[in-house]
């Protein structure tokens, strides 16, 4: 007798004898083997909106009146003002204090320029071709400081000590393919430093020590069609920088910020691309060089992004405001510079242009809030974490 054939026959007969039961089991196993569709967390809820000046282009968080509570400041490009909103520590803010400044303030940076332990502000004034200093008094008020001409159309400014003398300096991105350095002094005045002509239509500038040598390095996004890259300039520590290395991004990169997407304690880059509905992440090698960029999809017309761990898994996520789709997208990180899909989207007011995360109260470390600058609506909107429940001021919720 052919036992193999016999055993095969037994198996065949056994299969058909319990066909319906076994078949149902196979279907169940098959169904369980497929990955369940990803459902993104829902950490935030819309809380309130507050009026600011006309067409805000940035929103930045700091403590301007030294009460240990986060305040907000916006640059309002069409009203030639900045708006200050002082926090109450519960997610709410007081009504704006609007201050007249230079023509078309496009962006700002914050530092203590005159060493009085009060936060000061520098503005990139795109309408008057200058950078303008505002000295903080420590009580939420400012006094006018010096103004410095540039040529031309400053669009972004960043501040760190780039020459190692203990005084904050400035790096300014100019629309005509230039980056200008200003060197600071003890009294908060500046003198012109080097000017670099490079790239194609700079859109943002940032300073950070990328190679851990104690000297800030320079990162510039180039939004023109001839380059579409982020350029990294290694700092020499004397106010000058080495020739840049370009990293290809998506089309028309608009801004760059820093994060640690893979938890290796080395700075990575987040670049928002204004065309093609994407953003690009670059994982850092720790020596001011980066691995090739990884493109990820955003919603329609992303304009600005901020990285933070929003869902508490100790992996950096990304919040992006999208102009055309009028929403705020949260993309949750995988820990390798890529992200889960789909994102969690939150409807915003018209023209979301910038976003920042902030600590809602002094004792709130793990549950951040988000605030958007609503360019079309002339407002800022607050999104609170579900772990932090606030009481919206009358007339603000749902505006």
């Amino acid at each position: 007798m052919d036992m193999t054939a016999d055993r095969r026959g037994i198996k065949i007969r056994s299969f058909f004898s319990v066909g319906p039961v076994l078949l149902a089991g196979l279907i169940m196993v098959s169904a369980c083997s497929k990955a369940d569709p990803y459902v993104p967390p829902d950490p935030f809820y819309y809380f309130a909106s507050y009026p600011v000046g006309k067409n805000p282009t940035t929103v930045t968080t700091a403590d301007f009146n030294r009460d240990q509570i986060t305040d907000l400041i916006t640059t309002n490009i069409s009203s030639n003002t900045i708006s200050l909103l002082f926090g109450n520590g519960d997610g709410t803010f007081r009504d704006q204090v609007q201050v007249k400044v230079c023509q078309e303030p496009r962006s700002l940076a914050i530092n203590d320029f005159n060493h009085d332990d009060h936060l000061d502000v520098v503005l990139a004034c795109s309408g008057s071709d200058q950078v303008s200093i505002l000295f903080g008094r420590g009580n939420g008020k400012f006094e006018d400081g010096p103004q410095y001409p540039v040529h031309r159309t400053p669009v972004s400014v960043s501040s760190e000590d780039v020459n190692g003398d203990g005084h904050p300096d400035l790096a300014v991105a100019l629309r005509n393919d230039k980056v200008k350095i200003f060197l600071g002094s003890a009294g908060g005045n500046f003198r012109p430093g080097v000017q670099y002509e490079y790239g194609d239509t700079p859109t943002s500038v940032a300073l950070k020590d990328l190679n851990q040598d104690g000297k800030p390095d320079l990162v510039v996004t180039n939004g023109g069609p001839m380059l579409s890259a982020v350029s990294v300039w290694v700092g020499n520590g004397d106010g000058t920088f080495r020739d840049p290395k370009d990293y290809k991004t998506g089309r028309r990169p608009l801004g760059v910020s820093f994060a640690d997407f893979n938890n290796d304690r080395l700075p990575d880059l987040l670049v928002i691309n204004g065309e093609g509905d994407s953003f690009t992440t670059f994982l850092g090698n720790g020596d001011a060089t980066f691995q090739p960029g990884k493109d990820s999809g955003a919603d329609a017309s992303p304009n600005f992004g901020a990285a933070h761990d929003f869902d508490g898994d100790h992996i950096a996520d990304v919040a992006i405001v999208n102009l055309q789709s009028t929403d705020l997208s949260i993309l949750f990180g995988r820990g390798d510079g890529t992200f889960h899909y789909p994102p969690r989207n939150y409807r915003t007011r018209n023209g979301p242009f910038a976003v920042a995360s902030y600590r809602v109260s002094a004792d709130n470390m793990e549950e951040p809030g988000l605030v958007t600058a609503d360019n079309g609506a002339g407002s800022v909107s607050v999104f609170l974490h579900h772990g932090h429940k606030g009481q919206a001021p009358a007339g603000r919720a749902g505006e």
Side-chain angles (χ1 to χ4, degrees), residues 41-352:
D42 183 18
F44 292 102
Y45 64 99
Y46 170 78
F47 180 58
S49 294
Y50 298 84
V52 294
K54 190 174 181 181
N55 299 125
T57 52
T58 63
V59 59
T60 306
T61 63
D63 178 12
F64 291 108
N65 57 356
R66 308 186 69 172
D67 62 356
Q68 307 300 312
I69 296 173
T70 299
D71 308 314
L72 306 178
I73 184 171
T74 67
T75 52
N76 311 312
I77 197 167
S78 294
S79 57
N80 301 327
T81 62
I82 59 172
S83 292
L84 290 151
L85 297 91
F86 298 103
N88 296 314
D90 59 356
T92 66
F93 294 87
R94 301 173 218 168
D95 288 342
Q96 66 167 325
V97 176
Q98 198 168 160
V99 180
K100 199 75 173 176
V101 291
C102 56
Q103 292 181 12
E104 298 181 11
R106 177 64 179 80
S107 72
L108 61 77
I110 296 170
N111 213 323
D112 179 9
F113 298 125
N114 56 358
H115 301 284
D116 64 355
D117 293 327
H118 304 323
L119 291 179
D120 309 312
V121 171
V122 57
L123 296 164
C125 307
S126 59
S128 52
D129 292 339
Q130 62 186 195
V131 291
S132 179
I133 309 298
L134 300 174
F135 291 123
R137 299 176 181 174
N139 58 358
K141 296 182 179 181
F142 292 87
E143 60 186 41
D144 291 336
Q147 298 175 335
Y148 301 93
V150 293
H151 182 74
R152 74 181 189 280
T153 316
V155 294
S156 180
V157 60
S158 185
S159 179
E160 293 286 348
D161 177 12
V162 300
N163 64 348
D165 65 355
H167 309 311
D169 307 310
L170 308 177
V172 187
L174 308 177
R175 188 53 60 87
N176 61 339
D177 305 343
K178 294 180 176 66
V179 175
K180 178 72 175 178
I181 304 298
F182 288 89
L183 301 176
S185 67
N189 295 303
F190 294 86
R191 69 183 190 276
V194 295
Q195 180 169 283
Y196 297 98
E197 185 166 358
Y198 181 84
D200 183 16
T201 316
T203 52
S204 73
V205 62
L207 291 164
K208 188 177 180 65
D209 180 8
L210 300 174
N211 57 0
Q212 305 174 85
D213 65 354
K215 305 168 186 176
D217 306 306
L218 178 69
V219 184
V220 180
T221 49
N222 295 278
M226 301 300 293
L227 191 55
S228 285
V230 60
S231 303
V232 178
W233 311 56
V234 175
N236 294 315
D238 60 358
T240 66
F241 298 86
R242 302 173 207 170
D243 290 343
K245 179 177 176 57
D246 297 332
Y247 295 87
K248 197 68 176 175
T249 66
R251 290 180 298 177
R252 195 169 163 257
L254 296 177
V256 61
S257 55
F258 305 104
D260 179 8
F261 291 113
N262 57 348
N263 288 333
D264 62 358
R265 300 186 180 181
L266 301 175
D268 307 319
L269 303 181
L270 168 65
V271 176
I272 305 300
N273 304 311
E275 294 180 6
D277 301 338
S278 72
F279 64 99
T280 310
T281 54
F282 297 87
L283 298 181
N285 298 317
D287 58 357
T289 66
F290 293 85
Q291 300 173 29
K294 300 176 181 179
D295 289 343
S296 301
D299 217 331
S301 298
N303 197 70
F304 196 95
H308 194 92
D309 174 17
F310 296 121
D311 58 352
D313 64 355
H314 306 291
I315 296 173
D317 311 308
V318 172
I320 296 177
V321 284
N322 306 287
L323 276 171
Q324 188 172 338
S325 51
T326 316
D327 60 7
L328 167 65
S329 297
I330 312 294
L331 295 103
F332 298 94
R334 296 177 181 268
D336 60 357
T338 66
F339 300 85
H340 295 284
Y341 281 86
R344 175 65 66 180
N345 292 327
Y346 300 92
R347 192 73 177 172
T348 67
R349 303 193 75 187
N350 189 37

